[in-house]
Amino acid sequence: RRRPGRIVDRDYAVGAARAYNDWLAETYLQRDSRFKGIALVPMHDADAALEELHHAYSELGMCAVLFPATGVHLNLGAKPYWPIYTEAARLGCPIVVHGGGHWDLGMETMNVSTGANAIGHPMSLAIALAEMVLNNLFGRYPGLRVAYLEGGPLWFLMALERLSRSFEAGTPLNPRGELLSLPEGQTVADYIRALVQAGRLVVGIEGGESDLAYAISVAGEQAFMFSSDFPHEVNVQTVRKEIHELCERRGISDGAKRAILRNNAGRFYGFRGI
């Protein structure tokens, strides 16, 4: 799913994304409508990524496209990517950002991969969120919907607090009007919570999230949706265990559990009847 973000050769990455998307559509989507696909796009080249978005979403019937959080030499708020967001918003194509790209985050000096995995996923998502929000992508493209996956809920709370504090302490210089601008009295956290309420921003969580009840109290039940890395690292049994853990967790209302397990994902991806 996320490996093309690690491919150095641009043309190889473009070909790998096309091959994967065509394979996924032929093997699963064309066989049973219950399968939903998320396409890879080669973010090494903005023009190629835009072309693949069209192919995957409009022709193959994928339900979203995936961006790596980091690792393609430009941050996700960079201007060369803006045409991709323009078209995704126009088509109503959701974007999912996958954590786990640890390039240039200082983790190449770590000698235990467990630490890099634990820290790299949430930190890469926090970087992606900050760049997309502060470069005003959500304001510029009203139809844009973005999910941030595989980092748990707590990085999101950190981002809400730190972005609000930093924005208040030093509002970005914005002579061209391209960056986020907030009305007096509104914080970055307020702005992001409004995106959550509008169904435009959601964060993936898994089973065993011990602080989920607190995260819901801060960000709201619409901020999170259950996701798994199936079949990578997990299997049917472990996914069932995670769902059971969430269903049995105290301090979370039944309505919030339904939202996280079903409704939020249905709203985000535009699945009818969910």
Side-chain angles (χ1 to χ4, degrees):
R1 291 173 294 111
R2 59 187 179 269
R3 298 307 179 191
R6 296 191 181 188
I7 297 173
V8 174
D9 188 296
R10 180 185 62 185
D11 291 329
Y12 189 86
V14 172
R18 174 59 60 93
Y20 173 84
N21 295 334
D22 287 345
W23 167 82
L24 186 66
E26 180 180 354
T27 306
Y28 292 99
L29 274 61
Q30 295 172 10
R31 295 193 179 190
D32 194 321
S33 62
R34 291 174 296 179
F35 287 117
K36 307 297 180 184
I38 294 181
L40 298 177
V41 291
M43 298 296 283
H44 308 63
D45 184 297
D47 291 337
L50 182 59
E51 181 179 349
E52 192 59 33
L53 183 150
H54 269 290
H55 172 67
Y57 189 76
S58 300
E59 299 174 16
L60 298 181
M62 300 287 184
C63 67
V65 294
L66 182 146
F67 294 178
T70 59
V72 288
H73 310 300
L74 289 173
N75 72 71
L76 292 185
K79 188 174 287 189
Y81 291 149
W82 290 3
I84 304 174
Y85 295 112
T86 300
E87 196 61 9
R90 186 186 72 83
L91 293 172
C93 174
I95 292 169
V96 300
V97 179
H98 193 295
H102 308 157
W103 299 267
D104 300 323
L105 301 185
M107 295 176 196
E108 62 274 10
T109 65
M110 299 178 74
N111 69 319
V112 182
S113 61
T114 301
N117 179 275
I119 297 171
H121 280 63
M123 291 309 299
S124 62
L125 290 174
I127 291 170
L129 174 71
E131 293 294 343
M132 296 173 84
V133 168
L134 295 177
N135 280 285
N136 199 33
L137 299 187
F138 291 96
R140 186 174 294 108
Y141 311 114
L144 184 65
R145 307 200 305 277
V146 184
Y148 300 86
L149 305 182
E150 206 167 322
L154 295 187
W155 72 268
F156 186 56
L157 307 191
M158 179 274 292
L160 292 178
E161 192 274 331
R162 296 299 301 173
L163 287 172
S164 293
R165 182 184 295 263
S166 183
F167 196 92
E168 182 181 4
T171 302
L173 185 65
N174 190 20
R176 291 177 291 180
E178 294 180 344
L179 305 181
L180 179 67
S181 179
L182 299 177
E184 185 175 355
Q186 186 182 39
T187 68
V188 175
D190 294 333
Y191 176 79
I192 293 175
R193 288 192 190 97
L195 294 175
V196 168
Q197 292 299 312
R200 301 183 60 198
L201 192 154
V202 68
V203 173
I205 61 99
E206 299 175 26
E209 307 284 9
S210 58
D211 296 304
L212 181 57
Y214 173 68
I216 292 172
S217 72
V218 174
E221 66 183 46
Q222 292 179 312
F224 306 106
M225 67 180 178
F226 179 82
S227 62
S228 76
D229 209 4
F230 182 86
H232 177 234
E233 296 180 340
V234 296
N235 54 37
V236 172
Q237 289 72 31
T238 57
V239 171
R240 284 176 175 168
K241 180 176 181 291
E242 290 186 352
I243 293 174
H244 179 74
E245 287 176 347
L246 177 55
C247 289
E248 296 299 315
R249 187 166 296 282
R250 296 181 179 180
I252 301 175
S253 71
D254 290 342
K257 291 173 183 177
R258 285 193 297 271
I260 292 169
L261 287 170
R262 174 175 175 157
N263 297 344
N264 294 344
R267 181 171 71 154
F268 176 76
Y269 289 112
F271 295 153
R272 296 182 178 179
I274 292 183

